[in-house]
Amino acid sequence: MKALNLETTPLRGLGKSVEDARSQMRAFYSNRIPSNYSVIASRIGELQVSSGVRLSRVQYTQGKPGSDLTEITLDAGISGAYPQIIGL
């Protein structure tokens, strides 16, 4: 009985941990993942203004859709002083 008790100790509270992880995932998706390209473009514009760099172009490339997320690669042309660019 003691051996079984020791073996199952790490599993105690697992249900709460799983629910906490699911809650964190939902928060991540809703707060960090933009729903469309216009939100991404808007955020890039905000960064441009706040950092003082000049944005000359942005190109989006969408990867294969995943079950929950889709990879989006951005290729951007920026210019400005080194501290401004490195601060992005």
Side-chain angles (χ1 to χ4, degrees), residues 1-30:
M1 183 67 162
K2 271 190 168 183
L4 286 175
N5 194 18
L6 288 173
E7 285 180 24
T8 59
T9 299
L11 300 176
R12 291 186 186 134
L14 186 62
K16 171 97 171 93
S17 296
V18 169
E19 186 51 45
D20 288 346
R22 286 183 179 143
S23 175
Q24 290 170 355
M25 286 173 40
R26 282 190 294 274
F28 175 78
Y29 287 127
S30 66

Side-chain angles (χ1 to χ4, degrees), residues 1-83:
M1 183 67 162
K2 271 190 168 183
L4 286 175
N5 194 18
L6 288 173
E7 285 180 24
T8 59
T9 299
L11 300 176
R12 291 186 186 134
L14 186 62
K16 171 97 171 93
S17 296
V18 169
E19 186 51 45
D20 288 346
R22 286 183 179 143
S23 175
Q24 290 170 355
M25 286 173 40
R26 282 190 294 274
F28 175 78
Y29 287 127
S30 66
N31 296 331
R32 300 283 298 165
I33 306 297
S35 57
N36 52 43
Y37 288 144
S38 64
V39 176
I40 296 170
S42 180
R43 180 67 179 128
I44 290 171
E46 291 170 7
L47 289 172
Q48 175 185 344
V49 170
S50 67
S51 67
V53 299
R54 186 169 125 358
L55 182 66
S56 58
R57 65 176 174 74
V58 177
Q59 178 181 351
Y60 301 92
T61 305
Q62 183 172 322
K64 289 183 179 180
S67 60
D68 290 324
L69 298 175
T70 300
E71 179 182 353
I72 298 173
T73 304
L74 301 175
D75 182 28
I78 58 172
S79 60
Y82 181 76

